[in-house]
Structure formats: structure tokens, C-alpha cells
Amino acid sequence: MLLDADVVVVGAGMCGLYALKVLRDQGLRVLVLEKGSGVGGTWFWNRYPGARCDIPSMEYSFGFDPELEQDWEWTEHFASQPEIERYLNHLADRYDLRRDIRLSTGVTAMTFDEDTDTWVFDTETGEQFRARFAVMATGGLSAPYRPAWPGMDTFAGRIVQTSLWPEEPVELEGKRIGIVGTGSSGVQAIPELAKVADHLTVFQRTAAFTWPSQNQPLSDDAQAAIKARYRELRAEQYASFTGTAGTTGAVIFAVPTDDRRILDSTHEERVDAIEEHGFSACRIWSDTATDLDANAMAVELFHEMVRRTVKDPEVADSLLPRGYPLGCKRPVLDAGYFETFNLDHVSLVDLRKDPIQEVTATGIRTEHQFIELDVLVLATGFDAMTGALTRIDVRGRDGRLLRDDWVGGPRTYLGIGIVGYPNMFVCVGPGSPGVLATYPTQIELQVGWISEFVRYLVEHDYTRVEADLAAQDTWGEHVNEVARGTMFTAESCNSWYLGANIEGKPRVFLPYVGGLPNYMARCNEVAAQGYEGFVLS
Ligand code: N01
């Protein structure tokens, strides 16, 4: 039987690029199939104005090659999308990865051939590929969600989605722009769109907790100081809960170190906290992550900062995040977000009070008004962590379909293996830290683990590996157990971590919240026990 590769990696984002490098270094034949016309994954698709990472760039980068670390120059504390896309392209060139990457070759279906223990990949180009192993580097936030309001097809202007932003420039200068969505993408795009729009209308359903990023150019001295201790820094990252060592000046990363409880605080202490920490005053207390009353008090401090920043009291009131606890959703970092609402040509439509009814040829009609638009920007998020996998027809053993198997929520062993889907490894999947830990750091560890597993299988002549049902169930229970009692799973929390943004998606907490070191310790234990919980044949 002719194989096109030993391993097919689906996706050429950070995970796919690294998987290609390490698996090829092991002497395996690797083929990467990528939907986009360029490499970079998230950093290829999300090229909207203002797109920027919110992890310090010196940390949001790979540590496997000390020479690469020393050679690459970052220009800002938090790198912009173009800079990260350049970095990932540099990796593709530096390690000669492109010769094994097929661009514009999205995988539409995958079928496990039980007679030969191989996977067959169908692609949108009509080509078919066969390999022994599949590595799903499909990303955690890569399946865009697009709402469907009545009349959307009739809009005569341009509709652009932040997560599918075109490579050619979008005409925005002097336009009447509307943007729907105030998560990380919307909050980043809004101040930038305001700089060029004739008028910007922000359609907001849920107000965001967002903090000033305090981004700034990275001085040569600061960069040299970090480069001088890069090994130490990486060790700190690998040992950190979120894969982040905190090389930034942003107060948001200052985790409370003492036992400062907001429930025991005086009014004066809370006022002092606002004076000293501004928007981050709500983040310095030790009891807000576990106590809803403490959390509500902290939210008050955030509200106070919004009221102080936004001049129009009615607009400020609409911008106050309400109805869900602080820390239940992914924190957002911004650059002048709230201040943008003080500009005369920026207006806010509070969709809770004035919902969208329809899109027409010339704009958006809400219950109480009609807003004329030339451009409509959708910053409406993703079918997170599972969408990229369930949108592919993944057919495993006995003809089962992954989309059907996961109808009640995803089930994985260590986020990597799935019962019924032999020889398939998921990268940063549901049940792994995934979106909760810095990607390059986590990818090095997790893909490193997967590649060692593949080495073991090849060396021992195993042709089939599959997660065991009991092991998968036990892991699933553990993932749920550690999330229980945290703000992530509070009853009032409706986040994409829980799939709550997608109609019909079961409410299941998707990532593993036990921290990267605990996760890797368990993975390494499994490996040390001869890959306990996997059935090898
Ligand atoms: O998506 P989101 P995102 N009508 O789901 C609204 C990462 N990221 O792309 O909350 C009206 O957070 C929705 O409203 P609601 C990061 O992990 C990182 O912004 O559902 N509104 C919400 O306001 C982040 O968490 C970076 O009520 C609708 C928004 O759209 C993740 O990606 C930058 C609607 C979606 O927010 C996702 O962020 C960007 C509807 N029908 C992204 N449907 C950085 O590193 C949805 N919304 C900085």
C-alpha cells in the first residue's frame, strides 16, 4: 500500500509548523495540508485592523531553538498580527518547512481505513492523501461563527469578518462602518476603525471586561536582558499554570500574592486600589475567583473605572459588564477602548435594549432605529475548540462520525486521543489546556509528547493506537472536576469556553483548567507507564 506520508498534519498554524519540524527531524515523512493560501493559522486569517497578541511577544514565541530566540527581534511588548505572521513565515523558511506544506488544500473529510490502519484525507482540491497517522493541528479558535440576521444577503455594502479578514486592503477610509461584537477581536478593532471611519457604530450585546494593555515598543535593552536569560524564562513558562512568565509591565498579569480579600476590605482600601491600579483594581484580590460576593464587589471597582473614563453617562452605563462574573470569560486587553466612545463620530447601540431586527441593502434596522452603513464588520467569534474538528467529516472505526459522537460534548483522553478514532492525535484540543495556556509553549510540550509517542509506535512496529474508553471517561471526569466551583463554570457564565455562544452546542467546559504543569505531568506519567490508557496493536 502506497502512503503519501507517514504523518499528515492538518493545519499549518503554530502547531502544524512545529509538528512538521519535530516529526521530520525524527526521520518521518510528513505532509501538512493547509486550507489557507499562506502559513500562520490564526495569524494568517485574523488580519483585521488592531489584531495583536495579548501575551508578551518574548514569551509568545518558540523556545526550541536558542539561535532562533537570539536572532529574532520583536519590536513591541505585544506583537501585532503582521509581526507574528512574519515570524511564522520566517520559521517556515528557516527550517525549510514549505516543501512539505500544501497550501489552499483544506481537508474536507478523513476516513480511517481499518484494513490498512491508515487515514485517507479528502481535500477541497479533489486530491486524496493517505498516511499512517493524523495530527489535527486545526486550532482552538479557527472555525468562525457568523450570525444570520434576516436580510443579510441584501446588504449592498461590504460585510467582512475579523476572523476571515481579506489579504487585499478593505476600503474603510471615510466609510460609515458598523461592527457587531465586543469580545477580544471587536475590542481591538474598534479603536482602529474609529481612526478611519466617517462614523463608527458599535453594536454591543454583552459588555466586555477589558484592560489597558500598556503596550509599548520593546527597547533594545529590555529585549537584550530577556535574551540573556531566555533559558530561565522558558523554564518559568513551562512551569507556569498558563505557560506565561509575565515579562510585561501590565498590571493585569500581577496575580494577587498576599491574602488581600475584598470581602474584608474597607471602603478606603478599595478607593486606594482604584487610585493605584485603575482598571486592574478589581484583579488584586485573592477571593474574587472563588466567591461570587467578592467577585461582585470587584466588578463594582471595574464599573467605577468605566464611569470615570466614558463621559456620556448613558453610554457608560451600557458599557458596564453585567450579569456574569469577572474571570468567567477570557480577559481582554485593549488600546484606548473605552476612550473611543468619547469621540463624536462613534456611537453605541446597546442590543439588550435595542436588538437587531434585520439587515437591509443600506444598513441595519434595530427595534428603535435604522443605521446606514457602508461596511459591516462581524467580530462575532468562533465555534471554539471543537468546531474546526466537527466541521470536517472525520470518520473513524466502524464508520462513526466525530460530529455525531460529540453531539453531547467532546470526549477525549488527555485532549489528544479519541475513542473510535485510532492513529489520530489532536493538538491543543478540548480536554487539554488549549486556549488557557500560551500556545507556542504548550505546543512545544504537547507536540513534543505526541511526536515521542509516534516514535515509540514506529520503533515498536505498532500500526494502530487508540484511546481506551475507561481512560477517556476518567480523564473527562477529571477535566470537569477541576473546572467545578471556578468562575469559568458559574451558572451566570455564558462563554465560548462553555460553548454557550453557539446555538445548540452542549454546555460543556472545553479546556482543562488544571494548569499546564499538571497536565504535562499526567501526560508524562502516561508515557512512562508505556502509554497507559491507549490500546496499542
Ligand atoms: O470572539 P468572542 P472574539 N448578535 O466570542 C458577539 C481570542 N482572541 O473573536 O457575548 C450580537 O469573544 C458576542 O456577544 P455575546 C481570545 O481567546 C485573542 O472577540 O455572545 N452580538 C461577543 O461580544 C478570545 O476570547 C486576541 O453576547 C453577537 C462577540 O460577538 C477569542 O479569540 C484577539 C452575536 C464575540 O466575542 C474570541 O474572541 C482576538 C449576535 N448574533 C481573539 N453573535 C488577542 O490575543 C456574537 N456576538 C488579543
Side-chain angles (χ1 to χ4, degrees):
M1 181 211 29
L2 211 58
L3 291 181
D4 297 288
D6 299 312
V7 186
V8 158
V9 175
V10 183
M14 280 197 160
C15 192
L17 292 174
Y18 186 63
L20 167 54
K21 172 155 185 5
V22 286
L23 290 165
R24 198 165 72 183
D25 286 353
Q26 279 176 210
L28 294 166
R29 283 188 307 142
V30 187
L31 173 66
V32 180
L33 302 176
E34 164 59 50
K35 188 183 175 74
S37 59
V39 303
T42 282
W43 301 105
F44 170 83
W45 296 105
N46 291 261
R47 54 184 73 244
Y48 58 87
R52 182 177 291 288
C53 189
D54 60 2
I55 308 292
S57 35
M58 301 293 288
E59 298 188 35
Y60 192 80
S61 52
F62 285 108
F64 65 84
D65 179 351
E67 275 181 31
L68 167 70
E69 281 173 339
Q70 295 299 322
D71 290 350
W72 187 262
E73 298 285 326
W74 294 103
T75 63
E76 294 176 90
H77 271 288
F78 298 112
S80 64
Q81 175 272 332
E83 191 163 15
I84 302 174
E85 193 188 13
R86 269 200 304 281
Y87 172 75
L88 295 175
N89 274 279
H90 173 73
L91 258 60
D93 294 330
R94 186 176 181 118
Y95 304 109
D96 190 21
L97 301 180
R98 292 188 200 276
R99 65 183 155 93
D100 290 324
I101 301 174
R102 298 284 287 259
L103 297 173
S104 306
T105 310
V107 172
T108 51
M110 296 168 47
T111 311
F112 188 67
D113 176 356
E114 296 189 54
D115 295 334
T116 59
D117 289 345
T118 56
W119 279 99
V120 177
F121 300 81
D122 287 296
T123 65
E124 55 197 8
T125 63
E127 293 164 290
Q128 214 176 48
F129 301 92
R130 187 186 285 268
R132 170 79 60 212
F133 301 107
V135 172
M136 304 306 288
T138 39
L141 293 156
S142 52
Y145 167 67
R146 183 184 173 101
W149 296 288
M152 248 170 114
D153 296 346
T154 65
F155 186 59
R158 178 131 194 218
I159 300 181
V160 271
Q161 201 151 349
T162 48
S163 50
L164 295 169
W165 200 270
E167 275 186 85
E168 73 277 6
V170 178
E171 193 63 56
L172 297 168
E173 194 82 36
K175 303 285 185 197
R176 295 164 302 176
I177 304 174
I179 179 167
V180 183
T182 51
S184 297
S185 305
V187 163
Q188 285 188 328
I190 285 162
E192 293 304 311
L193 294 174
K195 285 179 190 163
V196 294
D198 169 63
H199 193 95
L200 177 68
T201 307
V202 178
F203 296 87
Q204 172 197 271
R205 190 165 65 184
T206 304
F209 286 105
T210 167
W211 287 267
S213 73
Q214 303 177 23
N215 184 35
Q216 49 188 288
L218 196 54
S219 72
D220 291 348
D221 286 352
Q223 184 148 199
I226 293 171
K227 285 185 174 179
R229 57 175 290 268
Y230 234 143
R231 299 277 53 75
E232 212 180 305
L233 177 82
R234 295 300 185 193
E236 286 169 24
Q237 283 189 264
Y238 298 138
S240 131
F241 211 73
T242 56
T244 313
T247 48
T248 170
V251 182
I252 188 170
F253 288 107
V255 179
T257 48
D258 56 11
D259 197 24
R260 182 141 68 145
R261 287 163 46 84
I262 196 167
L263 284 174
D264 300 335
S265 66
T266 63
H267 176 71
E268 285 69 30
E269 282 168 335
R270 295 195 294 280
V271 171
D272 287 351
I274 288 182
E275 298 308 330
E276 193 183 342
H277 299 291
F279 277 97
S280 291
C282 58
R283 293 180 64 98
I284 61 169
W285 316 94
S286 58
D287 48 354
T288 54
T290 47
D291 186 306
L292 276 169
D293 291 332
N295 196 286
M297 284 174 78
V299 168
E300 253 319 304
L301 303 187
F302 188 90
H303 285 185
E304 175 58 21
M305 281 306 297
V306 177
R307 289 191 199 97
R308 286 186 188 192
T309 311
V310 179
K311 290 185 189 138
D312 181 326
E314 205 183 322
V315 176
D317 190 66
S318 285
L319 288 168
L320 303 181
R322 290 192 176 99
Y324 68 100
L326 172 72
C328 115
K329 294 191 181 195
R330 169 73 146 73
V332 181
L333 289 197
D334 70 79
Y337 175 69
F338 288 114
E339 292 81 352
T340 302
F341 293 91
N342 292 332
L343 301 172
D344 290 338
H345 70 297
V346 175
S347 44
L348 180 71
V349 177
D350 185 341
L351 297 177
R352 301 265 160 133
K353 296 177 188 154
D354 189 12
I356 292 176
Q357 289 194 326
E358 62 168 346
V359 180
T360 74
T362 53
I364 287 188
R365 189 181 314 284
T366 63
E367 200 172 300
H368 301 301
Q369 55 189 318
F370 180 75
I371 294 126
E372 289 195 1
L373 298 174
D374 305 308
V375 180
L376 174 57
V377 177
L378 300 177
T380 44
F382 301 88
D383 183 352
M385 295 198 82
T386 55
L389 291 165
T390 55
R391 287 182 188 187
I392 298 173
D393 292 337
V394 183
R395 290 200 180 275
R397 193 167 40 73
D398 308 321
R400 61 211 291 165
L401 188 63
L402 186 65
R403 191 164 42 245
D404 291 345
D405 276 350
W406 281 8
V407 82
R411 280 167 296 165
T412 69
Y413 180 39
L414 303 173
I416 295 174
I418 306 171
V419 171
Y421 301 84
N423 294 11
M424 185 173 95
F425 306 99
V426 183
C427 181
V428 294
S432 80
V435 289
L436 295 179
T438 296
Y439 263 31
T441 313
Q442 174 180 198
I443 285 167
E444 277 179 3
L445 297 174
Q446 199 197 40
V447 173
W449 188 90
I450 292 171
S451 64
E452 282 307 313
F453 194 4
V454 172
R455 186 203 299 276
Y456 180 90
L457 295 168
V458 171
E459 281 177 4
H460 291 79
D461 286 329
Y462 290 117
T463 60
R464 192 190 279 211
V465 55
E466 185 181 332
D468 167 66
L469 183 59
Q472 177 171 280
D473 286 347
T474 306
W475 180 251
E477 280 159 26
H478 177 59
V479 170
N480 289 335
E481 181 56 37
V482 286
R484 212 167 286 141
T486 66
M487 287 305 148
F488 288 122
T489 53
E491 231 178 281
S492 55
C493 185
N494 288 308
S495 67
W496 57 255
Y497 291 136
L498 286 160
N501 62 328
I502 302 296
E503 214 184 316
K505 196 167 170 173
R507 189 180 164 91
V508 173
F509 189 71
L510 297 168
Y512 173 63
V513 77
L516 187 58
N518 286 335
Y519 171 75
M520 282 316 303
R522 181 66 197 129
C523 289
N524 292 333
E525 216 174 87
V526 164
Q529 310 283 334
Y531 295 97
E532 182 187 27
F534 286 95
V535 180
L536 317 180
S537 55

